[in-house]
Amino acid sequence: MKKTNAGKYHHLKLDWSDRTIRGFTYVFVGIFAIVCIIPFWLIVSSSFSDENAIRRTGFALWPPEISLRSYNLILQNPDLLIGSYIVTILLTVIGTLIGLFVISMTGYALQRKDFQLRNKISFFIYFTSLFTAGLVPFYYVIVKIYGLKDSYFAVLLPLLMNPWLIILMKNFVKAIPHEITESGKIDGAGDFTIFYKLIVPSMTPALATIGLFVALGYWNEWYFSSLFLTTIVKYRPLQYHLYNIVNTVASLKNSVASTNVVIQDLPAETLKMATAVLATGPIIFAYPFVQKYFVAGLTVGAVKG
Amino acid sequence: MQKALFRKRNSAADSLAAGHGKHSLWKNTRQNKTLLFMCLPAILFFIAFSYIPMPYSYIAFTKFNYIKGIFGSPFVGFKNFAFLFRSGQLTLLLRNTILFNLAFILLGNFFQIAFAILLNEVQSKRFKKIAQSMMFLPYFISPVLVSLLVYNLINYDYGFISSLVRSWGGAMPKLYSQPSAWPFIIVAVNLWQTTGYGTVIYFAAITSIDESMIEAATVDGANGFQRIRYIMLPSLKPTVVILLLFAMGGIIRGNFGLFYNLVGNNSVLFSTTDIIETYVYRALMNNFNFSQGSAVGLFQSVVGFGIVMVANTVVRHIEPDYALF
Amino acid sequence: MKKLVSLLMVLAMLLSLAPAAFAETATTDYSDWFPGVDTSEHVVITMLVTGNVPTNKTDEVLTVFNEKLTEAINAELQIQWIEWADWQTKYQLALAMQDGSIDLVGTATDWLYAWDNARNGGFLALSDEMLQTYCPKTYASVSQEHWDMCKYDGEIYFAPEDNYAQWTNHGFMYRGDWATAAGIENGDINSWEELGVYFQYIKDTYPDVVPWDADGSGSSYSPQVAGGYMTDKIGLVAVEGLPVSLFYGTKDDPYTLSRCFLEGDTLVNFAIQQKAWADAGYWREDVLNYTGDQKDLLRAGLSGAYQHHTQTWRTERTKMEAKQPGSDLRFYWFGEESDSLVSLNITHGAMAVAGQSKNPERALMVYDLIRNDPTFYDLFNYGIEGEQYIVVDGFLARPDTYKDDSTDGVSFNYWWGRNDDLEIRNSEVDWDAYDALVAEEYDPVKIDYPYGKVVFDTDPISIELDNVTNVYNTYMPVITFGKCEDPEAYVAEFRQALQDAGIETVMTEVQSQIDAVYGD
């Protein structure tokens, strides 16, 4: 099995068009990348700022006055934060493994042209992305029929897969030549064995991409947590933790509640920023890690040979 | 050249798929029962989380009573849909929602494809890795923080950009009072947040392209631009079509978090930024009503469904391989 | 023999008394409180409360609370918090599901959908017998007239917080030191005109301070500030229970709806004043999207005003003296110009029982104890004596070990049945200033909330109400912060939009519903 990268043709001569493209890339992609990171830098910088210093003038690239007060406040009671981290990591790992497995299995089956039922099943799956029953029916079914209120399964299960990922996966698998399946069948292997032993190793970029999306879905999730995990559950996913802190103020101001309710200690700007940094930080390193799997799989040459 | 290669590759599969009538469908399914079992977990998932809740969307046609439950509550016909239609705002809301979505989809995909192709051309692995990680970051920032950042950049009195412009002797426009600026601002923010994320898909698709094809083309004398135009872009076509078709289904659904947080209560900007979701939120904020909210969702579902059916039929006539179903 | 018998009889008597004697000294006997009630089964009662999960000593206090509660009526209390982010949805969903997991529900008719839930089956109907048996002290302390105000369709649905003096009328907090320096008599602002003078003074004297650094991103300013201005000029009385603040009576004729938002000069004058103030720079240019915190800015000396209500001012005054010594924070209340003031509706805070609660009787008993028994009241409101608080000269003070509310305090957000009879005044509040305000300015002019008996049925006008609400939320923020080009034309546009949305239908319907209850 030869692993090659579609970009490795540098042994061929570079001409003017290649150089232009490359120059163009460095400039434009570079600028965009910097534009992406500046706001994040502002968030990090303001999380280390003294509250009063940024109150009037807003954020700056470097904190006008450094203060670790927000971080101290959060880390003083690290129990909740650590619990949130653990819960989120567990959900992400378990959910991604199960979800990715089911999605890739389904994606493979649905692109097999010799499987006549595939279009009907595709439509069955795809239709769910068009018609959503809405918040109340979904909530009703999960809480009253499945009884999943205050259970982590209420967060784990709904995020395992979605139609978009399945169809995307189907599209990726389509690019793998059918000869591979055929050669497996000739050798007498069943469909699942073919899938597991032959197809999966040649779809690493697809697995990495879809796996990343599923993982991100879990890491970023706050919606199902907010709906189904009431305060009876002590450790709730990380992003929900952050969402609560950041949205408390906004929610109060935009409702009649603010007329009547006096909340003593609303979180300061810097506290929101610090929480954002702590909640987002780790996942940033997931992408470079996943990057190395973006290598092409089997080539036709290996099959023919 | 491209199409010929594809056709040759899949001819064996085509011959396997040939069959006539119902008898062979049953036979074919039995032959491929492992494949069916492989689809089973997904099928069960969607039944459990999407199909079973569907009948309960009946709530949109009732006056919901908590003790009587959804099916026991009194039926009120289309009354819950009326408020949206009688608001006089529906045309404006639909126009804004659809135009924004079109801009997000078309511009978004354009930049994502462009960046994926460009990044692929670059040799330096480090540049690729670092650039992609940096581009990915904005995706993680929650809408509330995004709006805070935007405010800090462009507010008239103390904004980062305002100060810069004034220090160069320029005049800063009062952006928060100018509706015409906001389609650009919102599209820019959305692009900033989602481009990195979407580039990943195209990048993965590019790395799946068979290298020997590219080498053959280069040996034949194709330069960089021609490589892109004749090999990369056509290979990405199936992915693009699928993503576009998918996006059609959500064309009258808006990204509530983005719009609500950026615009907030600033009604000066509503003429160019109000979408269905934000309107409904404002109308029902204190007059909380599950049935009416559900009715709007149902309306969006039905319209989205109609649009996709039409789009998919069109695509199926042109290139059956690219249709979603 | 006789002696032996009488000795034995005395012994028997003593023996029969002994257990009672032991019981008397070991625990407090609540069987008198709830005569004839069987508490043999241990029950956990869940109370639904709005607020973020506390990170201070609330859990510890709850453990102690539950020990005593178990001894008293063999029950335990558990709190389910509805956190502030998306609280409207979550609160309504929790009540809509009726899965038996909730027993007590904190509610309010003006901001926590009490009437909606009474109508929709979210709350349990409480009969007089039930209340008498399981909630005896509360039932006795609330007058029949007040119980009538908690009825829908003849049934009682919640117990009102009617024995707690609370002023949540809105106005502007301002700094007495700057007001005096601005030349206002006694530093006492009594009108919008003087408020303008105050703002201008700050603008002229302190270039780094925004006179009123408001965060216009919230939607609550329109009803508060605009309604406040109108109340000052024409003596309005707000009608609660409707989703948009367009319904007012006047203090001279409460039962006829005022048309001040639909016609007349007052609204126009307000729009013109606000535009002038916006142009003068009394608040930020991009105020409608600004999310800063007024309170923090005031304390940091970066703002000169804070718009909220009396209760807030009461706490803020002391905090301001600590942060900005000499600031002498005072309160200009809306209605001061025309002496119009309405007492707080008694159902501003209330306790209900969930429709499908599994233990409504025990739930009511828990509420009765919290509301009327000093042991439970103190634990729930103040914490453990010696740890969260100490009582000095009849006032509540903090022990030396107490550092901060957020780490050592207790927060049950109990706004559903506070009791003036059991309240301990907090020594940190400037009671002299507060009592003076209430006695000299409020008590002489206040009137009771006039619409307590009306439960509005919004079904016949729900479409128009939705659209009218949207019009209000679209135009009023702009009017309130003066962000329109031509105020007069803009108000005219607003009025036309209201007409198009069906305001006349709504007004007629609301008026007829008021007439049905209070008509001649």
Side-chain angles (χ1 to χ4, degrees), chain A residues 55-56 144 231 236 240 243-244 248 253 258-260, chain C residues 52 81 83 86 90 97 170 208 215 296 308-309 348:
Chain A
R55 211 188 282 284
R56 166 49 46 78
K144 286 197 108 164
T231 55
R236 286 165 303 161
Y240 180 59
Y243 180 77
N244 249 336
T248 296
K253 280 193 201 163
S258 73
T259 322
N260 304 295
Chain C
N52 282 346
W81 298 95
E83 292 165 302
D86 296 327
K90 293 205 279 225
M97 285 305 117
H170 277 255
D208 279 338
D215 47 341
D296 291 336
H308 211 255
H309 58 52
H348 172 74

PDB file of all heavy atoms in Angstrom, chain A residues 55-56 144 231 236 240 243-244 248 253 258-260, chain C residues 52 81 83 86 90 97 170 208 215 296 308-309 348:
ATOM      1  N   ARG A  55     -12.913  48.794  31.180  1.00  0.00           N
ATOM      2  CA  ARG A  55     -14.336  49.099  31.241  1.00  0.00           C
ATOM      3  C   ARG A  55     -14.724  50.226  30.312  1.00  0.00           C
ATOM      4  O   ARG A  55     -15.733  50.189  29.639  1.00  0.00           O
ATOM      5  CB  ARG A  55     -14.710  49.479  32.677  1.00  0.00           C
ATOM      6  CG  ARG A  55     -16.118  49.111  33.026  1.00  0.00           C
ATOM      7  CD  ARG A  55     -16.472  49.679  34.361  1.00  0.00           C
ATOM      8  NE  ARG A  55     -15.923  48.928  35.472  1.00  0.00           N
ATOM      9  CZ  ARG A  55     -16.402  47.776  35.891  1.00  0.00           C
ATOM     10  NH1 ARG A  55     -17.396  47.239  35.284  1.00  0.00           N
ATOM     11  NH2 ARG A  55     -15.858  47.164  36.917  1.00  0.00           N
ATOM     12  N   ARG A  56     -13.966  51.258  30.295  1.00  0.00           N
ATOM     13  CA  ARG A  56     -14.324  52.386  29.450  1.00  0.00           C
ATOM     14  C   ARG A  56     -13.872  52.156  28.014  1.00  0.00           C
ATOM     15  O   ARG A  56     -14.633  52.313  27.085  1.00  0.00           O
ATOM     16  CB  ARG A  56     -13.705  53.665  30.026  1.00  0.00           C
ATOM     17  CG  ARG A  56     -13.711  54.862  29.095  1.00  0.00           C
ATOM     18  CD  ARG A  56     -15.047  55.150  28.436  1.00  0.00           C
ATOM     19  NE  ARG A  56     -16.176  55.108  29.330  1.00  0.00           N
ATOM     20  CZ  ARG A  56     -16.500  56.085  30.176  1.00  0.00           C
ATOM     21  NH1 ARG A  56     -15.767  57.165  30.242  1.00  0.00           N
ATOM     22  NH2 ARG A  56     -17.549  55.965  30.946  1.00  0.00           N
ATOM     23  N   LYS A 144     -40.538  12.836  28.346  1.00  0.00           N
ATOM     24  CA  LYS A 144     -41.663  12.032  28.824  1.00  0.00           C
ATOM     25  C   LYS A 144     -41.678  10.615  28.283  1.00  0.00           C
ATOM     26  O   LYS A 144     -42.110   9.711  28.961  1.00  0.00           O
ATOM     27  CB  LYS A 144     -42.986  12.727  28.492  1.00  0.00           C
ATOM     28  CG  LYS A 144     -43.218  13.915  29.407  1.00  0.00           C
ATOM     29  CD  LYS A 144     -44.659  14.358  29.388  1.00  0.00           C
ATOM     30  CE  LYS A 144     -45.330  13.986  30.717  1.00  0.00           C
ATOM     31  NZ  LYS A 144     -46.574  14.694  30.925  1.00  0.00           N
ATOM     32  N   THR A 231     -30.341  21.533  37.058  1.00  0.00           N
ATOM     33  CA  THR A 231     -29.319  21.765  38.070  1.00  0.00           C
ATOM     34  C   THR A 231     -29.194  20.612  39.052  1.00  0.00           C
ATOM     35  O   THR A 231     -28.327  20.606  39.914  1.00  0.00           O
ATOM     36  CB  THR A 231     -29.619  23.043  38.849  1.00  0.00           C
ATOM     37  OG1 THR A 231     -30.939  22.944  39.376  1.00  0.00           O
ATOM     38  CG2 THR A 231     -29.527  24.242  37.943  1.00  0.00           C
ATOM     39  N   ARG A 236     -21.908  19.625  34.432  1.00  0.00           N
ATOM     40  CA  ARG A 236     -22.492  19.745  33.107  1.00  0.00           C
ATOM     41  C   ARG A 236     -21.445  20.163  32.104  1.00  0.00           C
ATOM     42  O   ARG A 236     -20.451  20.779  32.457  1.00  0.00           O
ATOM     43  CB  ARG A 236     -23.659  20.711  33.162  1.00  0.00           C
ATOM     44  CG  ARG A 236     -24.827  20.024  33.844  1.00  0.00           C
ATOM     45  CD  ARG A 236     -25.906  20.963  34.265  1.00  0.00           C
ATOM     46  NE  ARG A 236     -25.447  21.995  35.140  1.00  0.00           N
ATOM     47  CZ  ARG A 236     -26.110  23.116  35.332  1.00  0.00           C
ATOM     48  NH1 ARG A 236     -27.235  23.319  34.683  1.00  0.00           N
ATOM     49  NH2 ARG A 236     -25.647  24.030  36.136  1.00  0.00           N
ATOM     50  N   TYR A 240     -21.721  24.654  28.190  1.00  0.00           N
ATOM     51  CA  TYR A 240     -22.921  25.120  28.850  1.00  0.00           C
ATOM     52  C   TYR A 240     -22.556  25.961  30.059  1.00  0.00           C
ATOM     53  O   TYR A 240     -23.186  26.979  30.351  1.00  0.00           O
ATOM     54  CB  TYR A 240     -23.818  23.949  29.267  1.00  0.00           C
ATOM     55  CG  TYR A 240     -25.063  24.425  29.942  1.00  0.00           C
ATOM     56  CD1 TYR A 240     -25.929  25.283  29.266  1.00  0.00           C
ATOM     57  CD2 TYR A 240     -25.359  24.087  31.242  1.00  0.00           C
ATOM     58  CE1 TYR A 240     -27.059  25.773  29.870  1.00  0.00           C
ATOM     59  CE2 TYR A 240     -26.499  24.570  31.846  1.00  0.00           C
ATOM     60  CZ  TYR A 240     -27.338  25.408  31.162  1.00  0.00           C
ATOM     61  OH  TYR A 240     -28.456  25.904  31.760  1.00  0.00           O
ATOM     62  N   TYR A 243     -21.681  29.205  28.669  1.00  0.00           N
ATOM     63  CA  TYR A 243     -22.881  29.851  28.155  1.00  0.00           C
ATOM     64  C   TYR A 243     -23.666  30.508  29.282  1.00  0.00           C
ATOM     65  O   TYR A 243     -24.124  31.641  29.160  1.00  0.00           O
ATOM     66  CB  TYR A 243     -23.747  28.793  27.461  1.00  0.00           C
ATOM     67  CG  TYR A 243     -25.033  29.311  26.883  1.00  0.00           C
ATOM     68  CD1 TYR A 243     -25.032  30.017  25.696  1.00  0.00           C
ATOM     69  CD2 TYR A 243     -26.236  29.072  27.519  1.00  0.00           C
ATOM     70  CE1 TYR A 243     -26.207  30.483  25.156  1.00  0.00           C
ATOM     71  CE2 TYR A 243     -27.420  29.536  26.986  1.00  0.00           C
ATOM     72  CZ  TYR A 243     -27.405  30.238  25.797  1.00  0.00           C
ATOM     73  OH  TYR A 243     -28.568  30.695  25.272  1.00  0.00           O
ATOM     74  N   ASN A 244     -23.783  29.801  30.380  1.00  0.00           N
ATOM     75  CA  ASN A 244     -24.498  30.340  31.530  1.00  0.00           C
ATOM     76  C   ASN A 244     -23.890  31.635  32.014  1.00  0.00           C
ATOM     77  O   ASN A 244     -24.563  32.626  32.237  1.00  0.00           O
ATOM     78  CB  ASN A 244     -24.410  29.345  32.686  1.00  0.00           C
ATOM     79  CG  ASN A 244     -25.741  28.754  32.949  1.00  0.00           C
ATOM     80  OD1 ASN A 244     -26.760  29.346  32.629  1.00  0.00           O
ATOM     81  ND2 ASN A 244     -25.735  27.582  33.523  1.00  0.00           N
ATOM     82  N   THR A 248     -26.022  35.183  31.261  1.00  0.00           N
ATOM     83  CA  THR A 248     -26.876  35.590  32.375  1.00  0.00           C
ATOM     84  C   THR A 248     -27.277  37.048  32.254  1.00  0.00           C
ATOM     85  O   THR A 248     -28.446  37.396  32.353  1.00  0.00           O
ATOM     86  CB  THR A 248     -26.151  35.386  33.715  1.00  0.00           C
ATOM     87  OG1 THR A 248     -25.912  34.004  33.893  1.00  0.00           O
ATOM     88  CG2 THR A 248     -26.971  35.906  34.858  1.00  0.00           C
ATOM     89  N   LYS A 253     -31.363  41.294  31.089  1.00  0.00           N
ATOM     90  CA  LYS A 253     -31.667  42.636  30.597  1.00  0.00           C
ATOM     91  C   LYS A 253     -32.782  42.638  29.579  1.00  0.00           C
ATOM     92  O   LYS A 253     -33.469  43.623  29.413  1.00  0.00           O
ATOM     93  CB  LYS A 253     -30.426  43.206  29.929  1.00  0.00           C
ATOM     94  CG  LYS A 253     -29.461  43.722  30.909  1.00  0.00           C
ATOM     95  CD  LYS A 253     -28.435  44.535  30.207  1.00  0.00           C
ATOM     96  CE  LYS A 253     -27.216  44.631  31.075  1.00  0.00           C
ATOM     97  NZ  LYS A 253     -26.073  45.048  30.318  1.00  0.00           N
ATOM     98  N   SER A 258     -35.698  41.815  34.648  1.00  0.00           N
ATOM     99  CA  SER A 258     -34.763  42.825  35.131  1.00  0.00           C
ATOM    100  C   SER A 258     -35.492  43.931  35.878  1.00  0.00           C
ATOM    101  O   SER A 258     -34.928  44.612  36.701  1.00  0.00           O
ATOM    102  CB  SER A 258     -33.999  43.422  33.961  1.00  0.00           C
ATOM    103  OG  SER A 258     -34.848  44.265  33.224  1.00  0.00           O
ATOM    104  N   THR A 259     -36.785  44.103  35.562  1.00  0.00           N
ATOM    105  CA  THR A 259     -37.541  45.119  36.266  1.00  0.00           C
ATOM    106  C   THR A 259     -37.663  44.756  37.728  1.00  0.00           C
ATOM    107  O   THR A 259     -37.783  45.606  38.582  1.00  0.00           O
ATOM    108  CB  THR A 259     -38.976  45.176  35.707  1.00  0.00           C
ATOM    109  OG1 THR A 259     -38.939  44.992  34.318  1.00  0.00           O
ATOM    110  CG2 THR A 259     -39.632  46.485  36.051  1.00  0.00           C
ATOM    111  N   ASN A 260     -37.695  43.477  37.980  1.00  0.00           N
ATOM    112  CA  ASN A 260     -38.083  43.039  39.309  1.00  0.00           C
ATOM    113  C   ASN A 260     -36.997  42.384  40.118  1.00  0.00           C
ATOM    114  O   ASN A 260     -37.126  42.248  41.318  1.00  0.00           O
ATOM    115  CB  ASN A 260     -39.227  42.027  39.161  1.00  0.00           C
ATOM    116  CG  ASN A 260     -40.368  42.632  38.395  1.00  0.00           C
ATOM    117  OD1 ASN A 260     -40.996  43.561  38.842  1.00  0.00           O
ATOM    118  ND2 ASN A 260     -40.625  42.108  37.224  1.00  0.00           N
TER     119      ASN A 260
ATOM    120  N   ASN C  52     -29.083  31.356  39.197  1.00  0.00           N
ATOM    121  CA  ASN C  52     -27.957  30.490  38.860  1.00  0.00           C
ATOM    122  C   ASN C  52     -27.588  29.645  40.063  1.00  0.00           C
ATOM    123  O   ASN C  52     -27.791  30.061  41.195  1.00  0.00           O
ATOM    124  CB  ASN C  52     -26.752  31.325  38.439  1.00  0.00           C
ATOM    125  CG  ASN C  52     -26.904  31.838  37.017  1.00  0.00           C
ATOM    126  OD1 ASN C  52     -27.748  31.385  36.271  1.00  0.00           O
ATOM    127  ND2 ASN C  52     -26.077  32.807  36.662  1.00  0.00           N
ATOM    128  N   TRP C  81     -32.897  24.722  40.151  1.00  0.00           N
ATOM    129  CA  TRP C  81     -32.699  26.094  39.702  1.00  0.00           C
ATOM    130  C   TRP C  81     -33.023  26.241  38.226  1.00  0.00           C
ATOM    131  O   TRP C  81     -32.642  25.422  37.414  1.00  0.00           O
ATOM    132  CB  TRP C  81     -31.243  26.505  39.915  1.00  0.00           C
ATOM    133  CG  TRP C  81     -30.824  26.487  41.339  1.00  0.00           C
ATOM    134  CD1 TRP C  81     -30.192  25.475  41.997  1.00  0.00           C
ATOM    135  CD2 TRP C  81     -31.017  27.527  42.301  1.00  0.00           C
ATOM    136  NE1 TRP C  81     -29.973  25.822  43.297  1.00  0.00           N
ATOM    137  CE2 TRP C  81     -30.469  27.078  43.517  1.00  0.00           C
ATOM    138  CE3 TRP C  81     -31.589  28.805  42.240  1.00  0.00           C
ATOM    139  CZ2 TRP C  81     -30.477  27.853  44.671  1.00  0.00           C
ATOM    140  CZ3 TRP C  81     -31.595  29.563  43.394  1.00  0.00           C
ATOM    141  CH2 TRP C  81     -31.045  29.088  44.590  1.00  0.00           C
ATOM    142  N   GLU C  83     -31.753  28.404  35.579  1.00  0.00           N
ATOM    143  CA  GLU C  83     -30.679  29.376  35.421  1.00  0.00           C
ATOM    144  C   GLU C  83     -31.078  30.505  34.487  1.00  0.00           C
ATOM    145  O   GLU C  83     -31.945  30.353  33.632  1.00  0.00           O
ATOM    146  CB  GLU C  83     -29.432  28.659  34.919  1.00  0.00           C
ATOM    147  CG  GLU C  83     -28.902  27.738  36.007  1.00  0.00           C
ATOM    148  CD  GLU C  83     -27.910  26.732  35.503  1.00  0.00           C
ATOM    149  OE1 GLU C  83     -28.267  25.966  34.609  1.00  0.00           O
ATOM    150  OE2 GLU C  83     -26.782  26.731  36.004  1.00  0.00           O
ATOM    151  N   ASP C  86     -31.652  31.910  29.040  1.00  0.00           N
ATOM    152  CA  ASP C  86     -32.865  31.300  28.468  1.00  0.00           C
ATOM    153  C   ASP C  86     -33.893  30.914  29.522  1.00  0.00           C
ATOM    154  O   ASP C  86     -34.592  29.910  29.371  1.00  0.00           O
ATOM    155  CB  ASP C  86     -32.545  30.023  27.673  1.00  0.00           C
ATOM    156  CG  ASP C  86     -31.680  30.315  26.475  1.00  0.00           C
ATOM    157  OD1 ASP C  86     -31.829  31.409  25.903  1.00  0.00           O
ATOM    158  OD2 ASP C  86     -30.855  29.455  26.126  1.00  0.00           O
ATOM    159  N   LYS C  90     -36.855  27.743  29.666  1.00  0.00           N
ATOM    160  CA  LYS C  90     -36.656  26.637  30.599  1.00  0.00           C
ATOM    161  C   LYS C  90     -37.733  26.583  31.663  1.00  0.00           C
ATOM    162  O   LYS C  90     -38.200  25.507  32.031  1.00  0.00           O
ATOM    163  CB  LYS C  90     -35.271  26.739  31.230  1.00  0.00           C
ATOM    164  CG  LYS C  90     -34.175  26.506  30.206  1.00  0.00           C
ATOM    165  CD  LYS C  90     -32.921  26.015  30.851  1.00  0.00           C
ATOM    166  CE  LYS C  90     -32.162  27.183  31.424  1.00  0.00           C
ATOM    167  NZ  LYS C  90     -30.745  27.120  31.129  1.00  0.00           N
ATOM    168  N   MET C  97     -44.070  20.163  31.094  1.00  0.00           N
ATOM    169  CA  MET C  97     -43.916  18.710  31.046  1.00  0.00           C
ATOM    170  C   MET C  97     -44.733  17.996  32.119  1.00  0.00           C
ATOM    171  O   MET C  97     -45.165  16.871  31.911  1.00  0.00           O
ATOM    172  CB  MET C  97     -42.439  18.327  31.193  1.00  0.00           C
ATOM    173  CG  MET C  97     -41.663  18.585  29.940  1.00  0.00           C
ATOM    174  SD  MET C  97     -42.369  17.783  28.480  1.00  0.00           S
ATOM    175  CE  MET C  97     -42.775  19.196  27.482  1.00  0.00           C
ATOM    176  N   HIS C 170     -39.570  52.137  39.683  1.00  0.00           N
ATOM    177  CA  HIS C 170     -38.326  52.535  39.031  1.00  0.00           C
ATOM    178  C   HIS C 170     -38.039  54.025  39.079  1.00  0.00           C
ATOM    179  O   HIS C 170     -38.929  54.840  39.319  1.00  0.00           O
ATOM    180  CB  HIS C 170     -38.342  52.065  37.573  1.00  0.00           C
ATOM    181  CG  HIS C 170     -37.929  50.644  37.451  1.00  0.00           C
ATOM    182  ND1 HIS C 170     -36.696  50.272  36.977  1.00  0.00           N
ATOM    183  CD2 HIS C 170     -38.583  49.506  37.747  1.00  0.00           C
ATOM    184  CE1 HIS C 170     -36.630  48.938  36.985  1.00  0.00           C
ATOM    185  NE2 HIS C 170     -37.744  48.461  37.453  1.00  0.00           N
ATOM    186  N   ASP C 208     -14.407  62.663  31.412  1.00  0.00           N
ATOM    187  CA  ASP C 208     -14.227  61.211  31.319  1.00  0.00           C
ATOM    188  C   ASP C 208     -15.440  60.423  31.746  1.00  0.00           C
ATOM    189  O   ASP C 208     -15.453  59.198  31.664  1.00  0.00           O
ATOM    190  CB  ASP C 208     -13.055  60.773  32.215  1.00  0.00           C
ATOM    191  CG  ASP C 208     -11.742  61.010  31.524  1.00  0.00           C
ATOM    192  OD1 ASP C 208     -11.747  61.095  30.282  1.00  0.00           O
ATOM    193  OD2 ASP C 208     -10.727  61.119  32.221  1.00  0.00           O
ATOM    194  N   ASP C 215     -26.793  50.879  29.150  1.00  0.00           N
ATOM    195  CA  ASP C 215     -26.608  49.764  28.231  1.00  0.00           C
ATOM    196  C   ASP C 215     -27.919  49.541  27.516  1.00  0.00           C
ATOM    197  O   ASP C 215     -28.742  48.733  27.910  1.00  0.00           O
ATOM    198  CB  ASP C 215     -26.180  48.508  28.990  1.00  0.00           C
ATOM    199  CG  ASP C 215     -27.046  48.263  30.207  1.00  0.00           C
ATOM    200  OD1 ASP C 215     -27.706  49.209  30.664  1.00  0.00           O
ATOM    201  OD2 ASP C 215     -27.082  47.132  30.680  1.00  0.00           O
ATOM    202  N   ASP C 296     -21.683  48.747  37.772  1.00  0.00           N
ATOM    203  CA  ASP C 296     -20.226  48.757  37.920  1.00  0.00           C
ATOM    204  C   ASP C 296     -19.644  50.092  37.503  1.00  0.00           C
ATOM    205  O   ASP C 296     -18.692  50.581  38.107  1.00  0.00           O
ATOM    206  CB  ASP C 296     -19.608  47.636  37.074  1.00  0.00           C
ATOM    207  CG  ASP C 296     -19.944  46.265  37.645  1.00  0.00           C
ATOM    208  OD1 ASP C 296     -20.223  46.197  38.859  1.00  0.00           O
ATOM    209  OD2 ASP C 296     -19.936  45.293  36.879  1.00  0.00           O
ATOM    210  N   HIS C 308     -32.834  52.033  37.958  1.00  0.00           N
ATOM    211  CA  HIS C 308     -33.428  50.773  38.428  1.00  0.00           C
ATOM    212  C   HIS C 308     -34.449  51.103  39.503  1.00  0.00           C
ATOM    213  O   HIS C 308     -35.008  52.194  39.499  1.00  0.00           O
ATOM    214  CB  HIS C 308     -32.352  49.794  38.903  1.00  0.00           C
ATOM    215  CG  HIS C 308     -32.742  48.360  38.676  1.00  0.00           C
ATOM    216  ND1 HIS C 308     -33.156  47.539  39.688  1.00  0.00           N
ATOM    217  CD2 HIS C 308     -32.805  47.625  37.535  1.00  0.00           C
ATOM    218  CE1 HIS C 308     -33.448  46.354  39.182  1.00  0.00           C
ATOM    219  NE2 HIS C 308     -33.244  46.378  37.878  1.00  0.00           N
ATOM    220  N   HIS C 309     -34.683  50.206  40.448  1.00  0.00           N
ATOM    221  CA  HIS C 309     -35.774  50.489  41.401  1.00  0.00           C
ATOM    222  C   HIS C 309     -35.288  50.719  42.826  1.00  0.00           C
ATOM    223  O   HIS C 309     -34.090  50.631  43.125  1.00  0.00           O
ATOM    224  CB  HIS C 309     -36.843  49.395  41.334  1.00  0.00           C
ATOM    225  CG  HIS C 309     -36.356  47.995  41.610  1.00  0.00           C
ATOM    226  ND1 HIS C 309     -35.620  47.645  42.717  1.00  0.00           N
ATOM    227  CD2 HIS C 309     -36.536  46.842  40.920  1.00  0.00           C
ATOM    228  CE1 HIS C 309     -35.380  46.354  42.691  1.00  0.00           C
ATOM    229  NE2 HIS C 309     -35.916  45.841  41.611  1.00  0.00           N
ATOM    230  N   HIS C 348     -46.616  40.015  43.225  1.00  0.00           N
ATOM    231  CA  HIS C 348     -45.311  40.206  42.601  1.00  0.00           C
ATOM    232  C   HIS C 348     -44.404  39.009  42.914  1.00  0.00           C
ATOM    233  O   HIS C 348     -43.472  38.701  42.192  1.00  0.00           O
ATOM    234  CB  HIS C 348     -44.692  41.499  43.094  1.00  0.00           C
ATOM    235  CG  HIS C 348     -43.292  41.704  42.660  1.00  0.00           C
ATOM    236  ND1 HIS C 348     -42.974  42.041  41.363  1.00  0.00           N
ATOM    237  CD2 HIS C 348     -42.125  41.606  43.308  1.00  0.00           C
ATOM    238  CE1 HIS C 348     -41.656  42.156  41.257  1.00  0.00           C
ATOM    239  NE2 HIS C 348     -41.120  41.900  42.427  1.00  0.00           N
TER     240      HIS C 348
END
